[in-house]
Amino acid sequence: MIMALPISRLPSLFPLLAIFLAFSTFLSSTEAYDPLDPNGNITIKWDIMSWTADGYVAVVTLYNFQQYRHIQTPGWSLQWKWAKKEVIWAMLGGQTTEQGDCSRYKGNIPHCCKRDPTVVDLLPGTPYNQQIANCCKGGVLNSWVQDPATAVSSFQVSVGAAGTSNKTVRLPKNFTLKAPGPGYTCGPAKIVKPSKFNSLDKRRVTQALMTWNVTCTYSQFLAQKTPTCCVSLSSFYNDTIVSCPKCSCGCQSNLNAPQSCVEPNSPHLASVVTSASSSKNNLTPLVQCTGHMCPIRVHWHVKINYKEYWRVKITITNFNYMMNYTNWNLVVQHPNFDNLTQIFSFNYQSINPYGTINDTAILWGVKFYNDLLMQAGPLGNVQTELLFRKDQSTFTFDKGWAFPRRIYFNGDNCVMPPPEAYPYLPNTGSKQGVSVFTMLLLTSLTLLSFHHSFA
């Protein structure tokens, strides 16, 4: 039975409603905020280089200003909506996925007549007469920290039926960036100062006739509803191996995806993987059947304790039969990174999201050695070891201090085990608390009986 509130009571509910709406707005505004990369974004810059009889020629450039999140194969796609009835006469370094209805044109047919074109990057090996600088990478954009030179992608577009001056041109709207799936939210185009370009001899500077920018930010929640990686833990001082939390990235009993996992010892493994790979544009991972059901597992093992140093081993395992992770990276937050002495077989760079606090590092593979994380199988893992110097004022193995606070794989936050499950020192933790209590209780009973015996 539903009871209606008296009208006299409604005004008292307005403050609560206002607080709820404000909190909801705060949540939606912070969905795309990454505390470890607060200024990370992808900026799309349009530079009009020349005017034509019915429009303009522009160079569109995507800059990946994210420190550790990159766009991997099958690459980015960019969509927008024209402000009027513009068409694309020709393109270099990119192409639209559809031409659209160009029946009103006779003679020269435009490259694309759609009101909302979708542009993709050309593939490596494209003929030189169809290329421009920073094009033709198959839509792959590396992160800014890993390789700034490959964190840029460009294409040239010749636009017709458009304005032919700064006052008559109209900015496109409703930008959508897919990389290759959802996750990015793009703001409106904003006119900025014209870009400037240096000549090869750096003795002359030219500039664009007009420039506008579009900023796109990433939200893991928009990209996928479930996590994509998890973390397991172990240590030399405890036999317990803390596995990834159960169902971290899904459960085997998920009726919506009955074929979402494959037993590694299945005799039909090859046929299942082949049939799944044959479907085009299939981005859904096909993983080994595990308790966590994650495509990626990161294992942190506290390996050795020296007098002045301690050593950690990190293993990244790929359980996905559908994906080779190219130029993968790992972001780890731990308070001892300011005392990192040596890292083996991985690249390393410190990132300081909080200014002077050096507790976050990005790790990635060595080129042509382990920068490719292979599909699930015997070769589907990469490993490294970290050697830390002890700072006696902060170092301890107690209360899980030796384990990471947070781990990202390819920019996605991994599921961590609950703190109470961390491996504990043999002489500390909850077991020690129980034994001390028991000892005190026994001591009290002994003293009490001793007292009564002399009473």
Side-chain angles (χ1 to χ4, degrees), residues 5-40:
L5 287 172
I7 295 179
S8 59
R9 292 286 307 277
L10 290 178
S12 64
L13 297 178
F14 289 160
L16 295 176
L17 180 61
I19 294 174
F20 173 77
L21 292 175
F23 182 68
S24 301
T25 304
F26 171 78
L27 288 179
S28 61
S29 64
T30 56
E31 281 178 355
Y33 177 76
D34 186 349
L36 298 187
D37 190 12
N39 300 315

PDB file of all heavy atoms in Angstrom, residues 5-40:
ATOM      1  N   LEU A   5       1.873  11.566   0.719  1.00  0.00           N
ATOM      2  CA  LEU A   5       2.287  12.548   1.712  1.00  0.00           C
ATOM      3  C   LEU A   5       1.355  13.744   1.662  1.00  0.00           C
ATOM      4  O   LEU A   5       0.937  14.181   0.584  1.00  0.00           O
ATOM      5  CB  LEU A   5       3.718  12.998   1.444  1.00  0.00           C
ATOM      6  CG  LEU A   5       4.815  11.991   1.781  1.00  0.00           C
ATOM      7  CD1 LEU A   5       6.144  12.522   1.283  1.00  0.00           C
ATOM      8  CD2 LEU A   5       4.877  11.720   3.270  1.00  0.00           C
ATOM      9  N   PRO A   6       1.036  14.328   2.814  1.00  0.00           N
ATOM     10  CA  PRO A   6       0.238  15.556   2.807  1.00  0.00           C
ATOM     11  C   PRO A   6       0.981  16.674   2.110  1.00  0.00           C
ATOM     12  O   PRO A   6       2.211  16.747   2.156  1.00  0.00           O
ATOM     13  CB  PRO A   6       0.055  15.853   4.303  1.00  0.00           C
ATOM     14  CG  PRO A   6       0.381  14.574   5.014  1.00  0.00           C
ATOM     15  CD  PRO A   6       1.338  13.850   4.150  1.00  0.00           C
ATOM     16  N   ILE A   7       0.238  17.543   1.488  1.00  0.00           N
ATOM     17  CA  ILE A   7       0.865  18.661   0.764  1.00  0.00           C
ATOM     18  C   ILE A   7       1.667  19.529   1.718  1.00  0.00           C
ATOM     19  O   ILE A   7       2.708  20.083   1.369  1.00  0.00           O
ATOM     20  CB  ILE A   7      -0.221  19.494   0.045  1.00  0.00           C
ATOM     21  CG1 ILE A   7      -0.892  18.637  -1.034  1.00  0.00           C
ATOM     22  CG2 ILE A   7       0.372  20.760  -0.574  1.00  0.00           C
ATOM     23  CD1 ILE A   7      -2.001  19.366  -1.776  1.00  0.00           C
ATOM     24  N   SER A   8       1.229  19.611   2.963  1.00  0.00           N
ATOM     25  CA  SER A   8       1.947  20.439   3.928  1.00  0.00           C
ATOM     26  C   SER A   8       3.336  19.908   4.230  1.00  0.00           C
ATOM     27  O   SER A   8       4.206  20.633   4.695  1.00  0.00           O
ATOM     28  CB  SER A   8       1.143  20.534   5.233  1.00  0.00           C
ATOM     29  OG  SER A   8       0.945  19.232   5.770  1.00  0.00           O
ATOM     30  N   ARG A   9       3.555  18.595   4.005  1.00  0.00           N
ATOM     31  CA  ARG A   9       4.859  18.000   4.278  1.00  0.00           C
ATOM     32  C   ARG A   9       5.839  18.184   3.125  1.00  0.00           C
ATOM     33  O   ARG A   9       7.046  18.004   3.288  1.00  0.00           O
ATOM     34  CB  ARG A   9       4.704  16.510   4.555  1.00  0.00           C
ATOM     35  CG  ARG A   9       3.994  16.178   5.837  1.00  0.00           C
ATOM     36  CD  ARG A   9       4.861  16.437   7.037  1.00  0.00           C
ATOM     37  NE  ARG A   9       6.133  15.769   6.914  1.00  0.00           N
ATOM     38  CZ  ARG A   9       6.318  14.483   7.238  1.00  0.00           C
ATOM     39  NH1 ARG A   9       5.307  13.765   7.701  1.00  0.00           N
ATOM     40  NH2 ARG A   9       7.513  13.929   7.119  1.00  0.00           N
ATOM     41  N   LEU A  10       5.350  18.484   1.909  1.00  0.00           N
ATOM     42  CA  LEU A  10       6.214  18.536   0.737  1.00  0.00           C
ATOM     43  C   LEU A  10       7.296  19.591   0.841  1.00  0.00           C
ATOM     44  O   LEU A  10       8.450  19.340   0.463  1.00  0.00           O
ATOM     45  CB  LEU A  10       5.373  18.752  -0.527  1.00  0.00           C
ATOM     46  CG  LEU A  10       4.503  17.557  -0.939  1.00  0.00           C
ATOM     47  CD1 LEU A  10       3.689  17.894  -2.173  1.00  0.00           C
ATOM     48  CD2 LEU A  10       5.365  16.329  -1.210  1.00  0.00           C
ATOM     49  N   PRO A  11       7.001  20.837   1.294  1.00  0.00           N
ATOM     50  CA  PRO A  11       8.092  21.826   1.369  1.00  0.00           C
ATOM     51  C   PRO A  11       9.269  21.372   2.203  1.00  0.00           C
ATOM     52  O   PRO A  11      10.414  21.716   1.926  1.00  0.00           O
ATOM     53  CB  PRO A  11       7.392  23.056   1.986  1.00  0.00           C
ATOM     54  CG  PRO A  11       5.954  22.900   1.606  1.00  0.00           C
ATOM     55  CD  PRO A  11       5.702  21.419   1.656  1.00  0.00           C
ATOM     56  N   SER A  12       9.027  20.563   3.248  1.00  0.00           N
ATOM     57  CA  SER A  12      10.136  20.112   4.085  1.00  0.00           C
ATOM     58  C   SER A  12      11.046  19.146   3.367  1.00  0.00           C
ATOM     59  O   SER A  12      12.171  18.911   3.798  1.00  0.00           O
ATOM     60  CB  SER A  12       9.589  19.461   5.359  1.00  0.00           C
ATOM     61  OG  SER A  12       8.843  18.296   5.019  1.00  0.00           O
ATOM     62  N   LEU A  13      10.549  18.536   2.287  1.00  0.00           N
ATOM     63  CA  LEU A  13      11.358  17.598   1.537  1.00  0.00           C
ATOM     64  C   LEU A  13      12.226  18.275   0.484  1.00  0.00           C
ATOM     65  O   LEU A  13      13.127  17.655  -0.073  1.00  0.00           O
ATOM     66  CB  LEU A  13      10.457  16.551   0.844  1.00  0.00           C
ATOM     67  CG  LEU A  13       9.640  15.650   1.781  1.00  0.00           C
ATOM     68  CD1 LEU A  13       8.766  14.724   0.961  1.00  0.00           C
ATOM     69  CD2 LEU A  13      10.560  14.842   2.668  1.00  0.00           C
ATOM     70  N   PHE A  14      11.938  19.530   0.159  1.00  0.00           N
ATOM     71  CA  PHE A  14      12.684  20.216  -0.895  1.00  0.00           C
ATOM     72  C   PHE A  14      14.182  20.305  -0.615  1.00  0.00           C
ATOM     73  O   PHE A  14      14.994  20.077  -1.512  1.00  0.00           O
ATOM     74  CB  PHE A  14      12.102  21.620  -1.138  1.00  0.00           C
ATOM     75  CG  PHE A  14      10.747  21.576  -1.817  1.00  0.00           C
ATOM     76  CD1 PHE A  14       9.891  22.653  -1.755  1.00  0.00           C
ATOM     77  CD2 PHE A  14      10.339  20.431  -2.505  1.00  0.00           C
ATOM     78  CE1 PHE A  14       8.655  22.617  -2.378  1.00  0.00           C
ATOM     79  CE2 PHE A  14       9.102  20.385  -3.123  1.00  0.00           C
ATOM     80  CZ  PHE A  14       8.251  21.482  -3.060  1.00  0.00           C
ATOM     81  N   PRO A  15      14.617  20.644   0.632  1.00  0.00           N
ATOM     82  CA  PRO A  15      16.070  20.666   0.880  1.00  0.00           C
ATOM     83  C   PRO A  15      16.728  19.319   0.647  1.00  0.00           C
ATOM     84  O   PRO A  15      17.825  19.238   0.094  1.00  0.00           O
ATOM     85  CB  PRO A  15      16.162  21.094   2.349  1.00  0.00           C
ATOM     86  CG  PRO A  15      14.892  21.818   2.622  1.00  0.00           C
ATOM     87  CD  PRO A  15      13.853  21.121   1.809  1.00  0.00           C
ATOM     88  N   LEU A  16      16.066  18.208   1.058  1.00  0.00           N
ATOM     89  CA  LEU A  16      16.629  16.879   0.828  1.00  0.00           C
ATOM     90  C   LEU A  16      16.725  16.588  -0.655  1.00  0.00           C
ATOM     91  O   LEU A  16      17.708  16.012  -1.132  1.00  0.00           O
ATOM     92  CB  LEU A  16      15.768  15.820   1.514  1.00  0.00           C
ATOM     93  CG  LEU A  16      15.714  15.890   3.047  1.00  0.00           C
ATOM     94  CD1 LEU A  16      14.746  14.844   3.588  1.00  0.00           C
ATOM     95  CD2 LEU A  16      17.103  15.666   3.622  1.00  0.00           C
ATOM     96  N   LEU A  17      15.681  17.001  -1.402  1.00  0.00           N
ATOM     97  CA  LEU A  17      15.698  16.786  -2.843  1.00  0.00           C
ATOM     98  C   LEU A  17      16.817  17.580  -3.494  1.00  0.00           C
ATOM     99  O   LEU A  17      17.509  17.087  -4.395  1.00  0.00           O
ATOM    100  CB  LEU A  17      14.349  17.182  -3.449  1.00  0.00           C
ATOM    101  CG  LEU A  17      14.190  17.013  -4.965  1.00  0.00           C
ATOM    102  CD1 LEU A  17      14.374  15.543  -5.333  1.00  0.00           C
ATOM    103  CD2 LEU A  17      12.841  17.506  -5.431  1.00  0.00           C
ATOM    104  N   ALA A  18      17.045  18.806  -3.029  1.00  0.00           N
ATOM    105  CA  ALA A  18      18.118  19.630  -3.593  1.00  0.00           C
ATOM    106  C   ALA A  18      19.481  19.005  -3.328  1.00  0.00           C
ATOM    107  O   ALA A  18      20.355  18.990  -4.202  1.00  0.00           O
ATOM    108  CB  ALA A  18      18.050  21.042  -2.994  1.00  0.00           C
ATOM    109  N   ILE A  19      19.660  18.451  -2.102  1.00  0.00           N
ATOM    110  CA  ILE A  19      20.937  17.802  -1.778  1.00  0.00           C
ATOM    111  C   ILE A  19      21.148  16.589  -2.665  1.00  0.00           C
ATOM    112  O   ILE A  19      22.236  16.347  -3.188  1.00  0.00           O
ATOM    113  CB  ILE A  19      20.966  17.415  -0.290  1.00  0.00           C
ATOM    114  CG1 ILE A  19      20.969  18.668   0.584  1.00  0.00           C
ATOM    115  CG2 ILE A  19      22.187  16.556   0.031  1.00  0.00           C
ATOM    116  CD1 ILE A  19      20.844  18.376   2.066  1.00  0.00           C
ATOM    117  N   PHE A  20      20.089  15.801  -2.883  1.00  0.00           N
ATOM    118  CA  PHE A  20      20.203  14.610  -3.726  1.00  0.00           C
ATOM    119  C   PHE A  20      20.568  14.979  -5.158  1.00  0.00           C
ATOM    120  O   PHE A  20      21.438  14.363  -5.771  1.00  0.00           O
ATOM    121  CB  PHE A  20      18.883  13.836  -3.698  1.00  0.00           C
ATOM    122  CG  PHE A  20      18.828  12.690  -4.660  1.00  0.00           C
ATOM    123  CD1 PHE A  20      19.494  11.508  -4.374  1.00  0.00           C
ATOM    124  CD2 PHE A  20      18.139  12.793  -5.863  1.00  0.00           C
ATOM    125  CE1 PHE A  20      19.463  10.447  -5.266  1.00  0.00           C
ATOM    126  CE2 PHE A  20      18.101  11.742  -6.751  1.00  0.00           C
ATOM    127  CZ  PHE A  20      18.767  10.568  -6.452  1.00  0.00           C
ATOM    128  N   LEU A  21      19.899  16.013  -5.705  1.00  0.00           N
ATOM    129  CA  LEU A  21      20.194  16.434  -7.074  1.00  0.00           C
ATOM    130  C   LEU A  21      21.618  16.967  -7.184  1.00  0.00           C
ATOM    131  O   LEU A  21      22.311  16.703  -8.166  1.00  0.00           O
ATOM    132  CB  LEU A  21      19.192  17.495  -7.533  1.00  0.00           C
ATOM    133  CG  LEU A  21      17.751  17.003  -7.716  1.00  0.00           C
ATOM    134  CD1 LEU A  21      16.833  18.175  -8.052  1.00  0.00           C
ATOM    135  CD2 LEU A  21      17.678  15.941  -8.817  1.00  0.00           C
ATOM    136  N   ALA A  22      22.075  17.711  -6.183  1.00  0.00           N
ATOM    137  CA  ALA A  22      23.438  18.231  -6.219  1.00  0.00           C
ATOM    138  C   ALA A  22      24.448  17.100  -6.169  1.00  0.00           C
ATOM    139  O   ALA A  22      25.457  17.104  -6.882  1.00  0.00           O
ATOM    140  CB  ALA A  22      23.665  19.197  -5.044  1.00  0.00           C
ATOM    141  N   PHE A  23      24.172  16.088  -5.335  1.00  0.00           N
ATOM    142  CA  PHE A  23      25.086  14.942  -5.235  1.00  0.00           C
ATOM    143  C   PHE A  23      25.113  14.169  -6.544  1.00  0.00           C
ATOM    144  O   PHE A  23      26.171  13.743  -7.003  1.00  0.00           O
ATOM    145  CB  PHE A  23      24.643  14.039  -4.094  1.00  0.00           C
ATOM    146  CG  PHE A  23      25.545  12.859  -3.865  1.00  0.00           C
ATOM    147  CD1 PHE A  23      26.830  13.042  -3.380  1.00  0.00           C
ATOM    148  CD2 PHE A  23      25.114  11.567  -4.137  1.00  0.00           C
ATOM    149  CE1 PHE A  23      27.665  11.968  -3.167  1.00  0.00           C
ATOM    150  CE2 PHE A  23      25.939  10.491  -3.929  1.00  0.00           C
ATOM    151  CZ  PHE A  23      27.221  10.686  -3.437  1.00  0.00           C
ATOM    152  N   SER A  24      23.941  14.011  -7.181  1.00  0.00           N
ATOM    153  CA  SER A  24      23.883  13.306  -8.465  1.00  0.00           C
ATOM    154  C   SER A  24      24.664  14.061  -9.526  1.00  0.00           C
ATOM    155  O   SER A  24      25.379  13.466 -10.335  1.00  0.00           O
ATOM    156  CB  SER A  24      22.428  13.134  -8.911  1.00  0.00           C
ATOM    157  OG  SER A  24      21.691  12.405  -7.950  1.00  0.00           O
ATOM    158  N   THR A  25      24.545  15.392  -9.518  1.00  0.00           N
ATOM    159  CA  THR A  25      25.298  16.195 -10.475  1.00  0.00           C
ATOM    160  C   THR A  25      26.794  16.058 -10.250  1.00  0.00           C
ATOM    161  O   THR A  25      27.580  15.957 -11.194  1.00  0.00           O
ATOM    162  CB  THR A  25      24.885  17.685 -10.365  1.00  0.00           C
ATOM    163  OG1 THR A  25      23.485  17.775 -10.555  1.00  0.00           O
ATOM    164  CG2 THR A  25      25.618  18.527 -11.398  1.00  0.00           C
ATOM    165  N   PHE A  26      27.193  16.026  -8.967  1.00  0.00           N
ATOM    166  CA  PHE A  26      28.620  15.863  -8.654  1.00  0.00           C
ATOM    167  C   PHE A  26      29.139  14.534  -9.182  1.00  0.00           C
ATOM    168  O   PHE A  26      30.208  14.457  -9.772  1.00  0.00           O
ATOM    169  CB  PHE A  26      28.828  15.957  -7.139  1.00  0.00           C
ATOM    170  CG  PHE A  26      30.212  15.583  -6.700  1.00  0.00           C
ATOM    171  CD1 PHE A  26      31.261  16.476  -6.851  1.00  0.00           C
ATOM    172  CD2 PHE A  26      30.480  14.338  -6.142  1.00  0.00           C
ATOM    173  CE1 PHE A  26      32.542  16.145  -6.440  1.00  0.00           C
ATOM    174  CE2 PHE A  26      31.745  13.999  -5.740  1.00  0.00           C
ATOM    175  CZ  PHE A  26      32.770  14.913  -5.892  1.00  0.00           C
ATOM    176  N   LEU A  27      28.378  13.449  -8.999  1.00  0.00           N
ATOM    177  CA  LEU A  27      28.810  12.141  -9.475  1.00  0.00           C
ATOM    178  C   LEU A  27      28.967  12.136 -10.983  1.00  0.00           C
ATOM    179  O   LEU A  27      29.939  11.637 -11.529  1.00  0.00           O
ATOM    180  CB  LEU A  27      27.813  11.073  -9.035  1.00  0.00           C
ATOM    181  CG  LEU A  27      27.820  10.712  -7.546  1.00  0.00           C
ATOM    182  CD1 LEU A  27      26.755   9.660  -7.263  1.00  0.00           C
ATOM    183  CD2 LEU A  27      29.176  10.201  -7.119  1.00  0.00           C
ATOM    184  N   SER A  28      27.984  12.708 -11.691  1.00  0.00           N
ATOM    185  CA  SER A  28      28.055  12.691 -13.154  1.00  0.00           C
ATOM    186  C   SER A  28      29.190  13.552 -13.663  1.00  0.00           C
ATOM    187  O   SER A  28      29.805  13.253 -14.691  1.00  0.00           O
ATOM    188  CB  SER A  28      26.725  13.167 -13.747  1.00  0.00           C
ATOM    189  OG  SER A  28      26.455  14.497 -13.338  1.00  0.00           O
ATOM    190  N   SER A  29      29.525  14.631 -12.934  1.00  0.00           N
ATOM    191  CA  SER A  29      30.596  15.510 -13.399  1.00  0.00           C
ATOM    192  C   SER A  29      31.972  14.936 -13.127  1.00  0.00           C
ATOM    193  O   SER A  29      32.950  15.364 -13.727  1.00  0.00           O
ATOM    194  CB  SER A  29      30.465  16.889 -12.726  1.00  0.00           C
ATOM    195  OG  SER A  29      30.653  16.764 -11.333  1.00  0.00           O
ATOM    196  N   THR A  30      32.061  13.961 -12.181  1.00  0.00           N
ATOM    197  CA  THR A  30      33.366  13.406 -11.845  1.00  0.00           C
ATOM    198  C   THR A  30      33.576  12.025 -12.442  1.00  0.00           C
ATOM    199  O   THR A  30      34.574  11.383 -12.151  1.00  0.00           O
ATOM    200  CB  THR A  30      33.532  13.313 -10.319  1.00  0.00           C
ATOM    201  OG1 THR A  30      32.451  12.531  -9.782  1.00  0.00           O
ATOM    202  CG2 THR A  30      33.531  14.681  -9.679  1.00  0.00           C
ATOM    203  N   GLU A  31      32.632  11.548 -13.273  1.00  0.00           N
ATOM    204  CA  GLU A  31      32.784  10.220 -13.857  1.00  0.00           C
ATOM    205  C   GLU A  31      34.059  10.114 -14.676  1.00  0.00           C
ATOM    206  O   GLU A  31      34.702   9.085 -14.714  1.00  0.00           O
ATOM    207  CB  GLU A  31      31.568   9.895 -14.735  1.00  0.00           C
ATOM    208  CG  GLU A  31      30.350   9.462 -13.935  1.00  0.00           C
ATOM    209  CD  GLU A  31      29.172   9.194 -14.831  1.00  0.00           C
ATOM    210  OE1 GLU A  31      29.289   9.438 -16.045  1.00  0.00           O
ATOM    211  OE2 GLU A  31      28.126   8.743 -14.335  1.00  0.00           O
ATOM    212  N   ALA A  32      34.419  11.198 -15.374  1.00  0.00           N
ATOM    213  CA  ALA A  32      35.564  11.162 -16.270  1.00  0.00           C
ATOM    214  C   ALA A  32      36.838  11.654 -15.591  1.00  0.00           C
ATOM    215  O   ALA A  32      37.853  11.783 -16.262  1.00  0.00           O
ATOM    216  CB  ALA A  32      35.271  12.005 -17.516  1.00  0.00           C
ATOM    217  N   TYR A  33      36.791  11.911 -14.291  1.00  0.00           N
ATOM    218  CA  TYR A  33      37.972  12.425 -13.600  1.00  0.00           C
ATOM    219  C   TYR A  33      38.863  11.273 -13.173  1.00  0.00           C
ATOM    220  O   TYR A  33      38.415  10.320 -12.532  1.00  0.00           O
ATOM    221  CB  TYR A  33      37.552  13.258 -12.388  1.00  0.00           C
ATOM    222  CG  TYR A  33      38.730  13.754 -11.577  1.00  0.00           C
ATOM    223  CD1 TYR A  33      39.503  14.816 -12.037  1.00  0.00           C
ATOM    224  CD2 TYR A  33      39.087  13.148 -10.374  1.00  0.00           C
ATOM    225  CE1 TYR A  33      40.590  15.271 -11.312  1.00  0.00           C
ATOM    226  CE2 TYR A  33      40.163  13.594  -9.642  1.00  0.00           C
ATOM    227  CZ  TYR A  33      40.915  14.656 -10.118  1.00  0.00           C
ATOM    228  OH  TYR A  33      41.993  15.102  -9.403  1.00  0.00           O
ATOM    229  N   ASP A  34      40.131  11.339 -13.532  1.00  0.00           N
ATOM    230  CA  ASP A  34      41.102  10.321 -13.155  1.00  0.00           C
ATOM    231  C   ASP A  34      42.077  10.948 -12.170  1.00  0.00           C
ATOM    232  O   ASP A  34      42.860  11.830 -12.540  1.00  0.00           O
ATOM    233  CB  ASP A  34      41.842   9.819 -14.398  1.00  0.00           C
ATOM    234  CG  ASP A  34      42.771   8.656 -14.098  1.00  0.00           C
ATOM    235  OD1 ASP A  34      43.000   8.384 -12.901  1.00  0.00           O
ATOM    236  OD2 ASP A  34      43.266   8.024 -15.033  1.00  0.00           O
ATOM    237  N   PRO A  35      42.084  10.512 -10.914  1.00  0.00           N
ATOM    238  CA  PRO A  35      42.963  11.148  -9.917  1.00  0.00           C
ATOM    239  C   PRO A  35      44.443  10.962 -10.219  1.00  0.00           C
ATOM    240  O   PRO A  35      45.268  11.754  -9.745  1.00  0.00           O
ATOM    241  CB  PRO A  35      42.571  10.466  -8.606  1.00  0.00           C
ATOM    242  CG  PRO A  35      41.928   9.176  -9.007  1.00  0.00           C
ATOM    243  CD  PRO A  35      41.255   9.450 -10.310  1.00  0.00           C
ATOM    244  N   LEU A  36      44.821   9.926 -10.971  1.00  0.00           N
ATOM    245  CA  LEU A  36      46.225   9.728 -11.297  1.00  0.00           C
ATOM    246  C   LEU A  36      46.635  10.438 -12.587  1.00  0.00           C
ATOM    247  O   LEU A  36      47.811  10.489 -12.919  1.00  0.00           O
ATOM    248  CB  LEU A  36      46.527   8.229 -11.424  1.00  0.00           C
ATOM    249  CG  LEU A  36      46.303   7.400 -10.162  1.00  0.00           C
ATOM    250  CD1 LEU A  36      46.795   5.973 -10.369  1.00  0.00           C
ATOM    251  CD2 LEU A  36      47.002   8.021  -8.963  1.00  0.00           C
ATOM    252  N   ASP A  37      45.679  10.966 -13.325  1.00  0.00           N
ATOM    253  CA  ASP A  37      45.970  11.733 -14.547  1.00  0.00           C
ATOM    254  C   ASP A  37      44.908  12.816 -14.692  1.00  0.00           C
ATOM    255  O   ASP A  37      44.088  12.795 -15.627  1.00  0.00           O
ATOM    256  CB  ASP A  37      45.972  10.800 -15.763  1.00  0.00           C
ATOM    257  CG  ASP A  37      46.513  11.483 -17.018  1.00  0.00           C
ATOM    258  OD1 ASP A  37      47.092  12.589 -16.889  1.00  0.00           O
ATOM    259  OD2 ASP A  37      46.357  10.929 -18.114  1.00  0.00           O
ATOM    260  N   PRO A  38      44.896  13.773 -13.767  1.00  0.00           N
ATOM    261  CA  PRO A  38      43.790  14.746 -13.710  1.00  0.00           C
ATOM    262  C   PRO A  38      43.678  15.628 -14.941  1.00  0.00           C
ATOM    263  O   PRO A  38      42.593  16.126 -15.229  1.00  0.00           O
ATOM    264  CB  PRO A  38      44.111  15.576 -12.459  1.00  0.00           C
ATOM    265  CG  PRO A  38      45.580  15.384 -12.229  1.00  0.00           C
ATOM    266  CD  PRO A  38      45.899  14.003 -12.707  1.00  0.00           C
ATOM    267  N   ASN A  39      44.775  15.823 -15.672  1.00  0.00           N
ATOM    268  CA  ASN A  39      44.740  16.695 -16.855  1.00  0.00           C
ATOM    269  C   ASN A  39      44.742  15.915 -18.165  1.00  0.00           C
ATOM    270  O   ASN A  39      44.888  16.493 -19.234  1.00  0.00           O
ATOM    271  CB  ASN A  39      45.935  17.656 -16.831  1.00  0.00           C
ATOM    272  CG  ASN A  39      45.936  18.541 -15.601  1.00  0.00           C
ATOM    273  OD1 ASN A  39      44.906  19.089 -15.222  1.00  0.00           O
ATOM    274  ND2 ASN A  39      47.082  18.678 -14.953  1.00  0.00           N
ATOM    275  N   GLY A  40      44.592  14.602 -18.094  1.00  0.00           N
ATOM    276  CA  GLY A  40      44.639  13.788 -19.303  1.00  0.00           C
ATOM    277  C   GLY A  40      43.406  13.962 -20.168  1.00  0.00           C
ATOM    278  O   GLY A  40      42.276  13.992 -19.679  1.00  0.00           O
TER     279      GLY A  40
END
